[in-house]
Amino acid sequence: MASASALDIHVRQVSKSYGAVAVLDRVDLHVQAGEFLTLLGPSGSGKTTLLMVLAGFTRPDSGSILFGSREVIRLAPQKRDLGMVFQNYALFPHMNVAGNIAFPLRLRKVNAADTARRVEAALEMVQLGGYGARGIHELSGGQRQRVALARALVFEPRIILMDEPLSALDKQLRELMQLELRRLHEKLGTTTIYVTHDQREALTMSDRIAVINKGTLAQLDTPRNIYARPNNRFVAEFIGESAFLNVTVSGGVCRYRDTVIQTGAAAPRDGRCQLMIRPEQVQIIGGAPSDGMNRFSGRIVSRVFQGDTLRIEIDLGGGDAITLRVPASAAGLGSVPADGGPITLGLSVADTTLLPDAR
Ligand code: ADP
Ligand code: MG
């Protein structure tokens, strides 16, 4: 839930070029008050630049940014009331933990008694109660990142910006911190913009995800819709695994080669499209026709055991392939024919997703 003081953010037509390279190209984005919104995109797509523009460290060439109803484009960073967390922590090594967290309060001339109280509360919030006197070098990577987080939260900013804050941590700690950050966000309700290039992290943490491609917004939606209903091939390929089959639509009827593909409610427009198929959406079915299923026949060309699942590659002929994932249980493994053998896959109509042709 949004806290009473949370602000919404309007990014309007923000552009930034370095030389001839457009790093941000007319970006429009509305972040709701109290929302946890993630900027997700490959390295070099402009995520950090957009965050720096929001923070006031980078001046865009054009465009407008509103925090609530206030235009901030000409406002200095320290006047924007933002908490920031970076990948490399950016802690002061010569100060102890309490000194680091107290720093933003000192800048704001908070008195000693209030500072001590708020530093301790911020430490409690990130589960480091009693660590105030420790030196930074005495902390693990995860603890340092929590100190950086406490420092960003201690002055109760109305907006928090985080740039790949967990990417220096190992996988286990990263996953723990993802859940912890999410829990903290639910408690505080501060408008949060989080940057990552890790799609799973974005799906795990966010209310909504803004997928960024070459400085433009490719799609803004909930994690579920980004995954299941990508707008375009870039989003479909960047998030999760998928196969693409060329299909044609004519007179409202979609065909893969000669086979009619049922597409559910929305009638696609005539022309060429691509059918997106995620590995977990297809299942092995028998030869008999089955309702509500599109069917694909091929041969197994490879199988790879991946612990929890078996990943199977099916050749449909003509250069097309579908990847299938089955649970690596006795029942799952028992259902898979031998390599080279014929196999029929079913894709439910509800999972049948057409994308505009990318070519
Ligand atoms: P991301 O955070 O998504 O990896 P960045 O916003 O850091 O991407 O960078 C986007 C592009 O802008 C990159 O090609 C990068 O080289 C370029 N870039 C970023 N900052 C500068 C700068 N100060 N001068 C020149 N080019 C820059
Ligand atoms: Mg970056």
Side-chain angles (χ1 to χ4, degrees):
M1 213 179 73
S3 81
S5 64
L7 288 177
D8 68 344
I9 301 172
H10 281 278
V11 175
R12 288 188 185 140
Q13 294 287 299
V14 164
S15 293
K16 175 73 188 173
S17 296
Y18 289 110
V21 182
V23 173
L24 297 175
D25 187 8
R26 288 161 293 167
V27 175
D28 282 313
L29 184 64
H30 178 218
V31 187
Q32 285 157 25
E35 182 171 33
F36 193 115
L37 183 131
T38 296
L39 305 177
L40 173 68
S43 176
S45 55
K47 306 180 297 294
T48 293
T49 303
L50 181 53
L51 216 63
M52 289 297 133
V53 166
L54 286 163
F57 295 114
T58 298
R59 186 76 169 266
D61 302 330
S62 56
S64 151
I65 295 173
L66 299 176
F67 290 175
S69 56
R70 185 180 192 196
E71 174 62 65
V72 297
I73 213 103
R74 282 182 184 78
L75 210 58
Q78 67 274 15
K79 300 213 165 126
R80 293 195 183 191
D81 196 18
L82 297 164
M84 291 202 71
V85 185
F86 302 96
Q87 172 181 348
N88 57 7
Y89 323 130
L91 297 174
F92 305 113
H94 58 286
M95 291 183 194
N96 66 15
V97 166
N100 268 278
I101 299 173
F103 188 77
L105 300 177
R106 264 191 17 223
L107 288 183
R108 289 167 176 80
K109 312 226 181 315
V110 176
N111 70 44
D114 279 348
T115 296
R117 185 178 50 74
R118 287 169 70 171
V119 166
E120 199 47 45
L123 279 171
E124 292 287 344
M125 198 148 36
V126 298
Q127 300 179 23
L128 284 178
Y131 275 65
R134 292 270 186 112
I136 297 303
H137 58 278
E138 295 174 275
L139 303 178
S140 68
Q143 289 171 330
R144 286 179 199 195
Q145 197 47 280
R146 284 173 211 219
V147 173
L149 184 62
R151 186 177 60 181
L153 296 171
V154 72
F155 60 98
E156 296 173 15
R158 304 228 269 170
I159 294 169
I160 297 174
L161 306 179
M162 297 197 234
D163 194 355
E164 313 236 8
L166 307 182
S167 55
L169 308 179
D170 65 43
K171 183 169 181 287
Q172 220 170 351
L173 187 57
R174 199 163 65 228
E175 286 173 359
L176 187 78
M177 289 291 291
Q178 285 168 5
L179 299 178
E180 219 167 89
L181 282 178
R182 181 67 223 188
R183 204 159 42 230
L184 203 55
H185 175 259
E186 264 151 37
K187 190 163 136 198
L188 299 176
T190 311
T191 308
T192 302
I193 303 185
Y194 188 95
V195 165
T196 185
H197 64 272
D198 179 337
Q199 41 121 346
R200 189 175 283 274
E201 183 163 295
L203 292 170
T204 302
M205 299 183 74
S206 319
D207 293 319
R208 285 189 306 163
I209 298 172
V211 182
I212 311 286
N213 180 25
K214 294 182 185 152
T216 63
L217 187 62
Q219 189 168 358
L220 172 63
D221 215 325
T222 59
R224 188 174 285 266
N225 283 342
I226 290 273
Y227 185 84
R229 296 273 174 258
N231 278 344
N232 55 63
R233 177 125 177 202
F234 175 81
V235 174
E237 283 188 322
F238 191 67
I239 313 226
E241 190 180 355
S242 42
F244 299 93
L245 303 179
N246 293 320
V247 296
T248 54
V249 181
S250 161
V253 178
C254 177
R255 283 190 177 80
Y256 172 62
R257 297 176 183 159
D258 295 332
T259 309
V260 172
I261 301 290
Q262 298 165 259
T263 55
R269 271 201 281 160
D270 282 9
R272 289 216 278 219
C273 292
Q274 298 199 316
L275 175 59
M276 176 187 86
I277 304 178
R278 304 278 197 199
E280 72 282 4
Q281 291 175 331
V282 274
Q283 60 191 78
I284 300 170
I285 56 176
S290 42
D291 279 354
M293 285 273 183
N294 288 305
R295 303 156 61 80
F296 302 88
S297 297
R299 287 178 189 281
I300 299 180
V301 287
S302 76
R303 66 181 78 204
V304 180
F305 175 67
Q306 296 189 316
D308 53 346
T309 55
L310 188 67
R311 185 179 183 280
I312 302 166
E313 185 105 5
I314 316 278
D315 180 10
L316 302 180
D320 287 343
I322 297 180
T323 301
L324 158 75
R325 237 178 242 297
V326 297
S329 60
L333 298 177
S335 70
V336 183
D339 279 8
I343 187 169
T344 304
L345 300 179
L347 170 70
S348 83
V349 173
D351 283 330
T352 298
T353 306
L354 294 183
L355 300 178
D357 192 18
R359 290 165 309 169

